[in-house]
Amino acid sequence: MNTIWENIDKKLYEYQNTSVELNPHFAPRQADVINLIDSYWMSKYRDGPSDSSGYKKAFYNIILKPTYVASKMVDLDTKDIRVMAEEGQSYYPAWFFGKELKLWMKNTKNQNGQSFGQLLNDIVYQLPKYGHVLLKKAKGSVFIVPLQSVRNDPTASGILKSDWMAIEHNLTIKEMKSQGWDENKVKLVFDKYNEKGKVKIFEFIGDAKDNSKNNYFIVPEKCETEEYIIFQDKIKVEDYFKEIKWEDIPKRAIGRGQPEKLFENQIAKNTDENLFRTGLRWSSKHIYQSRDESLAKNMLTDIENGDLLTALSEITPIAVEERNLAAYQASAVKWDKNTADTTFAYESISGERPPAGTPLGTSVLQSQQAGAFFDLKREDLGMFLKEVIFDWIIPDFKKDKKRAHKIMFGEFDEDEIDKLKGLILTNKLNESLFSNIKKNGRLPNTNERMILKGILQEKLKNDKDIEIPENYYDDVKYKIDIVITNEQIDIASRMTTLQTILQIIGSNPTILRDKVTKKVFYKLLDLTGISPIDLNVEEEMPLEDMAGQMMAQRGGSIAGVQPIATPQQTTNSQTI
């Protein structure tokens, strides 16, 4: 029977020695591809910085720009995440849910000190760079797992589709204690296996221990006996890990990103650049020839300025100037075009001026083709992030905000504070009107309503926060949408939509008073990407409906209009 480390070590050996059929011949293994991407990203040669003659090789980096262009084109931010009310539900709870969710994502940090917005930026940068992003959720923290530390079956259809996976960690004693592991185990393992103050730990998922129901193990490298197993459990991998690929490659675990697409281009550009530099090295020299053997061998060192030479034969220069510049230029143009075609990083997308003489139609067509390609990638990323938000972010948010809590108005901008106070005012006014109808059995007149509203408005001026009741978000019915059409740059479309809204309201001012037309109008706004809350319209319940509801509860009829009692002052903290 094998020990747990023998089983794990066997898998690690397979990872180190398995070649992937569709990998480049100069990077046959999964680790080779990742290491080559990192080297090229830093403009470093894999095989050293010098050529066979000892001269330093130049590195003409062409992978950075296409990768940054791809990141820009698929960029997503927390502002692109919208929380919308389900069909038939009020917009206000969903709007408030979305607002506090974004505040929570902004203020909550993962184990690397990143907010969710910063994590999104990291995903957007790493996805087109490596072609693969692996996310992990642990102890309420969502973070990216570096591919450099991941071991798996390289020929599986995905890292999480592999029969096993291992993640390598090099931890200090302090870092080990911060994981929440058994302190006695931590001390035992550290004393036994630490090298230079760190222990190499493997987080292994798969069948590592014979006759065991567990599939998750945390062990030190070369773990000798079971007493050194730090932690073990049975888990569902999908509950703790998620992955996304930039481009899927058959029979390969990791995806392909922009740099890997350009491996051949990078090699060709470097070859051209170094051949050109070698030519410059020769063309910079001044070499002469003569049949007179008595002349100096080196005119730079053996002859002083102003010397008079007596030569038995003429002294003539040897032609060493570069005569192949056109070929170098043609090669550069060819590879630059191939790079742009391969990665869709055209001048019109990257913001550069196109070459002179390029027809306008060509630039427009290139922009449309590139835009369609990146829209698909952005859509894939959006669907992946929806899954992350639904499965990981929102459950933690609801758990964190389950109890009654307060939010300072300072967390909102001025426009949102006006909307929020309008919502509070509407709710408080409705509560007060309900109370007075119940107490007096009659409808208050317009002046009485205005007085009551003015009193409530005056109180709201002094409020500094808003109180959220316990379990407020448990019953909110919502759906998550992530904007994937880059609306923020479609100014013309947004202006047209707003102008249409103004025309509709101008032609029919009563549209927001009738229940049916208001519901249809709000639905129209929601479909165009504009929240009905942005109109800042107070949803006040008609007095007749209030009275009807109250009379249905208590029975009887509604009396005539009479003065109502002045409402009592309430505390500054408001509850919605």
Side-chain angles (χ1 to χ4, degrees):
M1 182 179 294
N2 293 333
T3 65
I4 186 171
W5 179 250
E6 288 174 339
N7 291 330
I8 294 176
D9 192 45
K10 181 180 178 181
K11 298 295 185 183
L12 297 179
Y13 179 84
E14 291 175 1
Y15 169 79
Q16 291 291 343
N17 294 276
T18 299
S19 297
V20 180
E21 180 181 356
L22 295 179
N23 274 13
H25 66 88
F26 47 82
R29 301 174 302 171
Q30 178 174 311
D32 295 333
V33 172
I34 296 172
N35 292 336
L36 195 56
I37 291 173
D38 287 336
S39 295
Y40 280 8
W41 192 260
M42 300 304 297
S43 299
K44 293 179 62 177
Y45 284 95
R46 181 191 62 183
D47 302 326
S50 302
D51 62 16
S52 57
S53 300
Y55 290 103
K56 184 182 182 302
K57 294 183 290 187
F59 196 102
Y60 191 95
N61 199 310
I62 64 168
I63 68 173
L64 295 179
K65 173 187 160 185
T67 307
Y68 286 139
V69 168
S71 296
K72 183 200 71 161
M73 294 300 293
V74 302
D75 186 28
L76 288 172
D77 197 53
T78 53
K79 67 177 182 295
D80 297 316
I81 301 170
R82 296 191 305 172
V83 179
M84 300 182 296
E86 287 280 13
E87 187 72 27
Q89 299 297 313
S90 173
Y91 291 97
Y92 290 99
W95 172 78
F96 204 85
F97 179 91
K99 179 60 183 177
E100 190 170 11
L101 175 63
K102 289 182 180 181
L103 289 173
W104 184 84
M105 289 191 295
K106 176 182 177 182
N107 297 325
T108 303
K109 307 290 185 181
N110 64 12
Q111 69 173 32
N112 298 325
Q114 294 177 312
S115 66
F116 189 73
Q118 292 171 320
L119 176 65
L120 284 185
N121 291 338
D122 230 1
I123 293 173
V124 166
Y125 277 121
Q126 293 204 26
L127 181 57
K129 178 181 177 182
Y130 294 106
H132 204 109
V133 168
L134 179 65
L135 292 185
K136 180 184 177 183
K137 182 177 187 293
K139 297 188 295 184
S141 176
V142 179
F143 54 92
I144 296 176
V145 180
L147 294 180
Q148 294 84 347
S149 64
V150 178
R151 313 286 184 265
N152 56 274
D153 178 3
T155 61
S157 59
I159 293 177
L160 300 184
K161 300 292 181 63
S162 174
D163 291 336
W164 63 276
M165 178 175 67
I167 303 174
E168 179 183 323
H169 306 274
N170 288 282
L171 305 178
T172 64
I173 184 68
K174 181 179 179 180
E175 291 170 333
M176 292 176 68
K177 289 181 177 179
S178 68
Q179 300 298 319
W181 300 328
D182 182 87
E183 290 193 6
N184 293 328
K185 286 276 189 182
V186 168
K187 187 177 185 307
L188 180 69
V189 169
F190 187 82
D191 291 341
K192 174 73 174 178
Y193 294 102
N194 91 87
E195 293 183 6
K196 297 181 179 180
K198 288 191 174 184
V199 179
K200 184 178 288 189
I201 301 288
F202 281 92
E203 184 180 356
F204 188 88
I205 301 170
D207 298 328
K209 185 178 176 184
D210 296 334
N211 302 321
S212 174
K213 295 181 179 179
N214 295 325
N215 66 341
Y216 181 78
F217 304 88
I218 298 177
V219 298
E221 184 182 32
K222 299 179 181 179
C223 177
E224 296 176 355
T225 61
E226 290 193 14
E227 67 174 322
Y228 295 107
I229 299 176
I230 300 174
F231 182 81
Q232 57 181 313
D233 197 2
K234 184 174 180 61
I235 66 169
K236 290 183 178 179
V237 177
E238 59 271 18
D239 291 343
Y240 296 91
F241 296 92
K242 294 184 185 295
E243 66 180 340
I244 181 175
K245 297 181 180 182
W246 179 260
E247 180 182 334
D248 192 19
I249 303 296
K251 299 179 182 179
R252 200 175 94 160
I254 62 172
R256 184 172 71 156
Q258 303 286 70
E260 187 179 353
K261 287 183 181 180
L262 299 177
F263 278 171
E264 289 288 351
N265 299 52
Q266 183 65 74
I267 293 171
K269 290 289 285 188
N270 283 343
T271 301
D272 284 357
E273 179 64 21
N274 283 288
L275 286 174
F276 178 68
R277 288 199 173 203
T278 300
L280 289 179
R281 193 178 302 125
W282 274 103
S283 62
S284 65
K285 299 180 183 298
H286 296 278
I287 308 174
Y288 300 89
Q289 61 182 352
S290 176
R291 290 188 293 272
D292 188 349
E293 296 182 357
S294 64
L295 288 174
K297 298 298 183 183
N298 191 317
M299 297 183 70
L300 289 177
T301 59
D302 297 343
I303 298 176
E304 295 291 338
N305 187 27
D307 280 357
L308 178 64
L309 299 179
T310 301
L312 300 178
S313 177
E314 68 278 2
I315 301 173
T316 59
I318 299 175
V320 292
E321 65 271 10
E322 181 61 64
R323 291 186 291 270
N324 207 25
L325 290 176
Y328 288 124
Q329 292 172 352
S331 179
V333 170
K334 178 182 66 176
W335 282 109
D336 287 344
K337 183 179 184 304
N338 181 261
T339 297
D341 291 342
T342 302
T343 61
F344 291 93
Y346 299 114
E347 290 88 354
S348 56
I349 296 295
S350 61
E352 296 178 273
R353 182 186 297 275
T358 303
L360 176 61
T362 300
S363 296
V364 172
L365 184 60
Q366 287 177 344
S367 296
Q368 290 175 345
Q369 289 177 332
F373 171 78
F374 288 119
D375 282 346
L376 288 175
K377 297 301 180 183
R378 200 167 194 260
E379 185 177 359
D380 289 341
L381 179 58
M383 290 187 291
F384 173 73
L385 292 177
K386 279 185 186 180
E387 184 180 332
V388 171
I389 292 171
F390 265 118
D391 295 348
W392 289 350
I393 303 300
I394 288 181
D396 284 349
F397 166 72
K398 284 186 172 181
K399 182 180 179 181
D400 194 38
K401 300 297 181 180
K402 189 175 184 65
R403 296 181 180 180
H405 58 282
K406 295 180 180 181
I407 303 179
M408 301 297 293
F409 281 138
E411 298 286 358
F412 301 87
D413 59 40
E414 187 174 348
D415 186 49
E416 289 173 331
I417 290 175
D418 291 339
K419 295 173 188 176
L420 190 54
K421 288 190 175 182
L423 175 60
I424 297 171
L425 178 62
T426 299
N427 288 342
K428 288 298 180 182
L429 181 60
N430 288 343
E431 289 176 4
S432 297
L433 292 174
F434 266 121
S435 177
N436 280 280
I437 292 173
K438 185 175 181 180
K439 180 178 179 180
N440 301 315
R442 66 163 188 85
L443 290 170
N445 60 34
T446 302
N447 289 335
E448 292 167 340
R449 289 184 63 205
M450 294 302 295
I451 292 173
L452 180 58
K453 186 174 181 179
I455 294 173
L456 293 173
Q457 283 178 326
E458 192 64 28
K459 290 191 300 179
L460 278 175
K461 291 181 180 179
N462 299 321
D463 291 341
K464 303 298 182 184
D465 55 43
I466 180 172
E467 182 178 335
I468 308 298
E470 185 176 1
N471 300 323
Y472 178 71
Y473 295 126
D474 286 354
D475 298 325
V476 176
K477 296 182 179 179
Y478 59 88
K479 57 184 178 181
I480 300 293
D481 184 30
I482 297 180
V483 180
I484 58 175
T485 56
N486 216 9
E487 284 185 359
Q488 63 269 24
I489 64 173
D490 194 2
I491 304 298
S493 176
R494 299 287 285 181
M495 289 180 62
T496 301
T497 302
L498 292 173
Q499 288 172 354
T500 303
I501 293 172
L502 286 175
Q503 292 174 359
I504 293 174
I505 296 176
S507 62
N508 184 11
T510 62
I511 193 172
L512 297 176
R513 299 178 185 175
D514 182 82
K515 289 183 177 179
V516 177
T517 57
K518 181 171 69 174
K519 182 177 180 180
V520 173
F521 183 64
Y522 276 14
K523 186 65 177 177
L524 175 64
L525 293 177
D526 204 26
L527 291 174
T528 60
I530 298 176
S531 172
I533 309 301
D534 291 338
L535 290 179
N536 204 17
V537 179
E538 297 180 2
E539 275 191 349
E540 294 188 22
M541 182 180 292
L543 289 180
E544 291 78 5
D545 291 350
M546 291 186 191
Q549 288 186 15
M550 293 302 303
M551 292 306 106
Q553 296 175 9
R554 60 182 290 193
S557 58
I558 304 173
V561 175
Q562 297 177 6
I564 62 175
T566 301
Q568 296 181 353
Q569 298 291 325
T570 59
T571 59
N572 285 339
S573 181
Q574 301 295 330
T575 303
I576 64 171

